[in-house]
């Protein structure tokens, strides 16, 4: 049953019901401890009880192995024999005892909702896909494990490995955050890609609220994004084609840079993160988005700010220069603290040859802001758009979904 290991632990082979094994994996990941440590603690707690807890349904138990300190398994077997329970039943009870003693941690909710503006004045770089993907990844539930590649130093790891995909997959709980996606683009791509219709021109809209002409409460315009993995935490503020008129309307509004903030303040308390899909523009609407993403008083540095989406080609570099110039002008003119959350290189495909690979290297050479994500140009995103479903619901284990989760954690 038990054999010595190099780590001075004994390998234990038994059986455990699949549902308990899954709960054990998830809870251990949530608390950031090893499974063997959790089982060790559970066995210790179970052996210390005055009597056995209520029986656990062990039907369908399957093979399970772990490593325990020398002698613990022998002690466990003796206690199980004294209590006249099988080893499988005793182990299941021990894991249940540990689960009850170590409840899932509560999601840490910020006092001020994070505000992420996803931007680049060049169209077609995939701002909408990144907005949706990051929001979906942030709202996935803590009660399930999801494949993700994680690195706190993405660029360094990428360069050191000499590869575009050097990181190991790891199953981690979702972040469980309440997320609002704001479609701030008059083209309404985010709204349509997530299966909703643009708001009617004759009705209420974000544009009307920003222009001081609201026809109702902004909260009434927000719609949920369906999907069990999001648990009702992911919402969308749809766009309206009247956003094409926004710059004209803002020209006559006092303190126009604060117009987006004035509109969204009414719903901020409902969310942990608000992600704005910005239009491909350098106009007044973009000024309002940058102002909204500024660092507020007493807000942690790097909590809110600009996430810049580019592609590995030359025109993205030109657009990047124009966008950062606009942000710097606003920083200086209005004395704003605007943080860069990083650069995301989207639609990357090394098979496109020298232009793609050399452009990626050029982006990686930028140290401030640094590259925080690399998303491949793969079919799953296009398919999700075609069927109007969230990528992480349509293809949750795809490389793009894994990359979105990594990106969400990299900027968290």
């Amino acid at each position: 049953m038990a054999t010595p290991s190099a780590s001075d632990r004994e390998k234990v082979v038994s059986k455990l019901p699949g549902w308990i094994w899954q709960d054990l994996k998830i809870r251990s990941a949530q608390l950031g401890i090893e499974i063997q440590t959790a089982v060790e603690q559970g066995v210790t707690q179970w052996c210390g009880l005055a009597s056995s807890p209520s029986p656990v349904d062990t039907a369908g138990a399957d093979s399970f192995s772990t490593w325990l300190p020398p002698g613990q398994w022998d002690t466990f077997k003796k206690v199980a024999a004294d209590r006249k329970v099988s080893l499988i039943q005793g182990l299941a009870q021990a894991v249940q005892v540990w689960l009850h003693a170590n409840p899932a941690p509560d999601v840490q909710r910020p006092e001020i909702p994070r505000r992420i503006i996803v931007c680049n004045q060049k169209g077609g770089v995939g701002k909408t896909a990144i907005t949706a993907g990051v929001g979906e990844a942030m709202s996935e539930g803590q009660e399930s494990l999801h494949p993700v590649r994680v690195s706190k130093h993405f660029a360094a790891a990428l360069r050191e490995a000499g590869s575009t995909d050097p990181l190991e997959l790891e199953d981690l709980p979702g972040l469980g955050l309440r997320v609002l996606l704001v479609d701030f683009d008059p083209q309404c791509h985010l709204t349509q890609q997530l299966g909703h219709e643009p708001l009617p021109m004759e009705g209420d809209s974000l544009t009307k609220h920003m222009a001081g002409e609201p026809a109702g409460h902004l909260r009434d315009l927000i719609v949920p994004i369906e999907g069990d993995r999001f648990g009702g935490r992911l919402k969308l503020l749809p766009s309206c084609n009247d956003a094409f008129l926004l710059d004209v309307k803002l020209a006559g509004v006092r303190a126009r840079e604060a117009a987006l903030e004035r509109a969204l303040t009414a719903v901020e308390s409902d969310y942990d993160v608000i992600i704005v899909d910005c239009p491909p523009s350098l106009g007044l609407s973009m000024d309002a988005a940058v102002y909204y993403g500024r660092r507020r008083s007493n807000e942690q540095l790097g909590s809110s700010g600009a996430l810049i989406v580019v592609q590995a080609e030359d025109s993205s570099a030109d657009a990047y220069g124009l966008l950062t110039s606009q942000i710097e002008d606003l920083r200086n003119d209005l004395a704003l603290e605007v943080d860069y959350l990083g650069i995301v290189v989207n639609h990357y495909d090394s098979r496109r040859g020298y232009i793609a690979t050399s452009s990626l290297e050029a982006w990686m050479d930028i140290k401030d802001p640094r590259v925080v994500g690399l998303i491949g140009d793969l079919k799953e995103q296009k398919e999700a758009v075609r069927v109007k479903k969230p990528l992480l619901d349509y293809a949750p284990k795809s490389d793009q979904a894994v990359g979105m989760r990594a990106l969400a954690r990299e900027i968290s």
Side-chain angles (χ1 to χ4, degrees), residues 220-232:
D220 295 335
L221 302 178
I222 294 173
V223 294
I225 301 301
E226 302 298 334
D228 291 341
R229 67 180 53 249
F230 310 129

Side-chain angles (χ1 to χ4, degrees), residues 207-283:
T207 297
K208 291 184 174 65
H209 281 259
M210 291 178 64
E213 305 165 351
H217 198 289
L218 192 69
R219 187 176 284 110
D220 295 335
L221 302 178
I222 294 173
V223 294
I225 301 301
E226 302 298 334
D228 291 341
R229 67 180 53 249
F230 310 129
R233 291 176 295 272
L234 183 61
K235 304 288 181 64
L236 168 71
L237 176 54
S239 185
C240 176
N241 292 133
D242 68 357
F244 280 114
L245 306 173
L246 182 57
D247 278 11
V248 175
K249 288 180 175 291
L250 287 180
V253 174
R254 293 183 63 185
R256 55 179 176 261
E257 291 86 3
L260 181 59
E261 181 164 308
R262 287 196 297 269
L264 292 178
T265 295
V267 298
E268 280 188 353
S269 61
D270 297 337
Y271 302 98
D272 304 310
V273 186
I274 297 176
I275 308 178
V276 181
D277 183 24
C278 295
S281 165
L282 295 177

Side-chain angles (χ1 to χ4, degrees), residues 93-126:
Q93 290 180 11
V95 172
Q96 279 284 70
V97 167
W98 183 84
L99 289 169
H100 286 305
N102 296 272
D106 292 331
V107 175
Q108 296 298 311
R109 308 209 180 275
E111 293 183 12
I112 302 173
R114 299 184 62 199
R115 299 162 319 285
I116 300 172
I117 59 168
V118 182
C119 51
N120 191 332
Q121 66 94 17
K122 182 181 185 300
V125 296

Side-chain angles (χ1 to χ4, degrees), residues 375-381 391 398-404:
I375 307 297
D377 187 13
L378 303 171
K379 64 182 179 64
E380 286 81 6
Q381 177 65 54
L391 169 66
S398 66
D399 283 346
Q400 286 169 318
V402 168
M404 294 296 184

Side-chain angles (χ1 to χ4, degrees), residues 123-141:
V125 296
K127 295 185 296 294
T128 297
I130 298 301
T131 299
V134 170
E136 292 162 22
M138 287 183 167
S139 63
E140 284 184 313

